[in-house]
Amino acid sequence: MATLRLGPLLRYADESSATVWVEASRPCTAEARCADGSGGEARTFQVAGHHYALIPVTGLTPGTTTPYEVFLDGVRVWPLPDTGSSRFPPSVIRTAADGAAEGKADALADGFRVAFGSCRWAAPPANDKDPVGADALDTLAARIAADPTGERPDVLLLLGDQVYADEVSDATRRWLGARRDLSEPPGAEVADYEEYTHLYYESWLDPEVRWLLSTVPTCMIFDDHDVIDDWNTSASWLADMRGTPWWRERLLSGLMSYWVHQHLGNLTPAELATDPLYTAVRESPDGTDVLRAFAARADADPASVRWSYRRDFGRVRLLIVDTRAARVLDEDSRAMLDPGEAAWVREQALDAPGSYDHLLIGTSLPWLLPHLVHDAEAWDEALCRGERGPRWARFGEKLRRAADLEHWAAFTTSFTDLAELIAEAGSGPDAPATVLVLSGDVHHAYAAEPTWPGTEGPDARVLQLTCSPVHNAIPLYIKVGFRLGWSGLGRAVGRRFARHGRVPRPPVKWRRTGGPWFGNMLMTLTLSGRSARLRLDRVREVKGGKARLETVTESQVSG
């Protein structure tokens, strides 16, 4: 009999359809049955001895909240049969109201809620004490479970580092040690596909998170730790890694497991229906070789694959941009996005002007950083390019790797291109009310607002909104460094760096409008018509080992 190994994850939901992702213990037919009689089924596909299905759910009624159950070969496997799951309400699919796609006022009366964050180290607590504080996703799950009819996100954006392939928990280290000799590279890091699956089990079998992901739709994108710290920092870094015996298996396994566990669920049912790789994997008795060949092509030619994607939620447009695998690393033509990727992002942002009120650009790495950090990264890029000669170039490469200097600021041309695209998308008679860049990575939260010197700037309200981590450590040096980075002293020091590297001034100026805040956190945007409201919730631990989300700040962005 087939059993449920992982999931269900509710990935997509619109007015009348949804997708539900599961992993089963053996080949079977996976089925979602909804309380109103709607549902769907899919046959599992196989990758590396694991069996997965993305169940298409159709026939849902617009504007409803419908409980659902999961069956494998006709046997109910979700909700779980044990008593431990009884503390959670039934998993539900909430559909958009009829007319939401056209932005009708009655369909959007309650607003559309987008919660986001990044960097979730999923190590289970030892001796009931969590070394990095309570998990924001666990705490969100507890809040929703306590009041199932109350406020909840309409979509949860997980903006990178869903798993940590290079920083495993003690429990995973012991599991790896029982599997292979950790004295051999890559040591206590993930080496292959099977070990990646263990990371997803550790992360998504957490009871609170498992239930949360079963009932709140999610959009995801990778960042570096999903593969390795500083993934694709530079051409020199990549050459060194490709000369490492274990690297190829690590990278291919990382891309394969990401495609299975995260990327598939990002796609709409229409995109899935025309995706040739998804078709090939499903039609193969064993899709491992097909998927591995795809990952090898993605490694050899990153421009051949697009991990970025677009989702439209009524009059809210979401662009999730891959800032890791799409890079051009040659020092003379460094770019965060290859030309094809950049053209695609531009096309999506400018498509059908006037058809959306809010443009959300999700990028794991912040576009606007503290001024000192921005200038230091731009300076380092100039050094590595040879602006100050070969000795400085060698120093710049060492510094780039040691200090993680590889955000948008370290790709000056791409930084400028994004500034120009945001200004264009946010200007004119059909301009949206807001253009909001949503990011994570840097283990603190803040809001920053740009201006365009010498111009009136875009008509839309533009903000960089950064929220990280969901669950991770925040060392003292991060707190001190980022506070300094936002200070007047930090700005002055940064300009000295920039002058030394002959770095031109960026096309925008920006000021911090909120933060920095530290802790395990989630940001939530509530979008209704042309109104946007922002709230930051941080985990607060209370007596008895309990934790709750406490609002740190709330502000009106537009409207």
Side-chain angles (χ1 to χ4, degrees):
M1 184 179 72
T3 59
L4 186 66
R5 296 190 69 178
L6 194 59
L9 276 74
L10 175 61
R11 295 304 312 273
Y12 174 90
D14 60 21
E15 294 177 335
S16 60
S17 65
T19 59
V20 176
W21 182 100
V22 297
E23 181 188 351
S25 62
R26 52 171 289 175
C28 63
T29 297
E31 182 182 3
R33 298 181 189 174
C34 300
D36 65 355
S38 60
E41 65 178 35
R43 190 69 187 171
T44 57
F45 60 88
Q46 178 172 311
V47 174
H50 293 257
H51 307 279
Y52 308 98
L54 190 60
I55 307 169
V57 180
T58 58
L60 294 161
T61 303
T64 59
T65 299
T66 307
Y68 75 93
E69 299 173 331
V70 174
F71 293 75
L72 300 180
D73 283 343
V75 177
R76 195 184 80 164
V77 293
W78 184 268
L80 297 175
D82 60 32
T83 57
S85 63
S86 61
R87 69 181 188 273
F88 299 112
S91 300
V92 300
I93 301 174
R94 294 191 359 162
T95 56
D98 195 18
E102 293 77 32
K104 293 180 180 178
D106 57 344
L108 300 175
D110 294 333
F112 181 79
R113 294 186 180 89
V114 181
F116 67 96
S118 78
C119 306
R120 181 172 179 263
W121 189 61
N127 302 319
D128 296 324
K129 182 171 178 58
D130 195 321
V132 297
D135 190 322
L137 289 191
D138 280 350
T139 313
L140 174 64
R143 187 174 74 181
I144 296 174
D147 184 11
T149 62
E151 177 188 315
R152 67 169 66 192
D154 292 288
V155 66
L156 176 63
L157 310 185
L158 301 177
L159 295 173
D161 296 343
Q162 273 68 262
V163 293
Y164 280 70
D166 54 348
E167 296 179 17
V168 303
S169 67
D170 289 342
T172 295
R173 180 189 295 267
R174 290 191 293 270
W175 182 84
L176 293 175
R179 188 170 189 262
R180 57 179 170 84
D181 184 357
L182 298 189
S183 66
E184 297 292 330
E189 297 185 15
V190 167
D192 58 25
Y193 187 91
E194 185 64 28
E195 293 178 5
Y196 263 105
T197 66
H198 183 84
L199 293 185
Y200 283 103
Y201 294 152
E202 183 175 61
S203 181
W204 291 353
L205 288 178
D206 171 293
E208 286 77 13
V209 167
R210 189 178 196 180
W211 176 79
L212 177 70
L213 297 183
S214 77
T215 200
V216 175
T218 49
C219 294
M220 306 180 188
I221 191 67
F222 47 46
D223 198 23
D224 55 346
H225 289 286
D226 290 86
V227 175
I228 193 170
D229 190 24
D230 301 338
W231 178 26
N232 284 343
T233 288
S234 66
S236 171
W237 179 94
L238 184 57
D240 287 349
M241 295 307 297
R242 284 178 170 169
T244 303
W246 54 267
W247 169 246
R248 180 173 172 80
E249 185 60 38
R250 166 77 152 270
L251 178 65
L252 298 188
S253 297
L255 294 177
M256 291 169 66
S257 64
Y258 174 78
W259 185 87
V260 169
H261 293 82
Q262 299 190 51
H263 180 69
L264 274 183
N266 293 329
L267 304 181
T268 68
E271 290 168 331
L272 288 166
T274 59
D275 187 285
L277 177 60
Y278 183 51
T279 299
V281 169
R282 292 178 68 203
E283 291 180 348
S284 173
D286 185 341
T288 307
D289 290 343
V290 173
L291 187 54
R292 187 175 180 86
F294 163 81
R297 288 194 302 273
D299 177 35
D301 180 14
S304 67
V305 175
R306 177 166 300 124
W307 301 106
S308 301
Y309 58 97
R310 166 180 160 182
R311 294 281 300 275
D312 288 335
F313 303 93
R315 292 183 60 84
V316 177
R317 179 168 299 173
L318 172 66
L319 295 182
I320 298 291
V321 181
D322 162 25
T323 54
R324 281 291 167 188
R327 295 178 174 187
V328 177
L329 298 178
D330 183 83
E331 293 296 347
D332 294 326
S333 56
R334 271 173 69 85
M336 186 67 84
L337 309 176
D338 66 64
E341 190 88 1
W344 181 88
V345 171
R346 177 178 177 81
E347 177 185 343
Q348 301 307 311
L350 301 179
D351 181 39
S355 65
Y356 57 89
D357 293 318
H358 304 278
L359 174 60
L360 311 181
I361 301 175
T363 159
S364 62
L365 304 178
W367 171 53
L368 302 179
L369 288 164
H371 300 95
L372 172 57
V373 180
H374 175 96
D375 287 335
E377 295 203 8
W379 164 70
D380 184 79
E381 182 191 31
L383 296 185
C384 293
R385 191 173 58 244
E387 192 68 35
R388 285 292 185 175
R391 290 182 62 186
W392 277 105
R394 290 191 294 271
F395 168 78
E397 178 61 28
K398 291 179 181 178
L399 180 62
R400 176 156 59 191
R401 299 192 197 187
D404 296 354
L405 304 182
E406 38 89 41
H407 297 79
W408 284 90
F411 295 80
T412 304
T413 299
S414 297
F415 179 93
T416 298
D417 289 346
L418 184 56
E420 293 174 351
L421 175 59
I422 288 172
E424 185 174 355
S427 299
D430 295 321
T434 67
V435 179
L436 306 174
V437 182
L438 314 182
S439 307
D441 180 69
V442 291
H443 288 214
H444 74 296
Y446 62 90
E449 184 168 13
T451 58
W452 278 253
T455 72
E456 294 183 1
D459 301 289
R461 178 86 187 275
V462 179
L463 288 175
Q464 166 73 65
L465 301 175
T466 302
C467 183
S468 167
V470 169
H471 181 241
N472 214 319
I474 306 173
L476 179 61
Y477 75 84
I478 285 183
K479 296 181 180 180
V480 173
F482 282 110
R483 289 189 187 280
L484 174 62
W486 286 114
S487 69
L489 174 60
R491 184 177 302 210
V493 172
R495 288 313 305 161
R496 290 181 67 88
F497 282 140
R499 284 194 294 271
H500 178 263
R502 304 187 180 103
V503 177
R505 288 188 178 272
V508 293
K509 295 182 178 180
W510 60 97
R511 65 184 182 92
R512 174 174 52 88
T513 59
W517 297 288
F518 300 94
N520 294 328
M521 300 172 286
L522 287 167
M523 273 189 182
T524 300
L525 287 164
T526 301
L527 309 169
S528 181
R530 294 181 68 82
S531 170
R533 189 163 186 84
L534 171 70
R535 188 181 74 233
L536 175 67
D537 292 325
R538 181 169 57 196
V539 175
R540 180 182 177 187
E541 298 188 56
V542 295
K543 291 182 179 179
K546 300 289 186 180
R548 61 185 177 90
L549 288 173
E550 181 177 72
T551 298
V552 175
T553 186
E554 192 167 6
S555 62
Q556 194 73 26
V557 175
S558 70

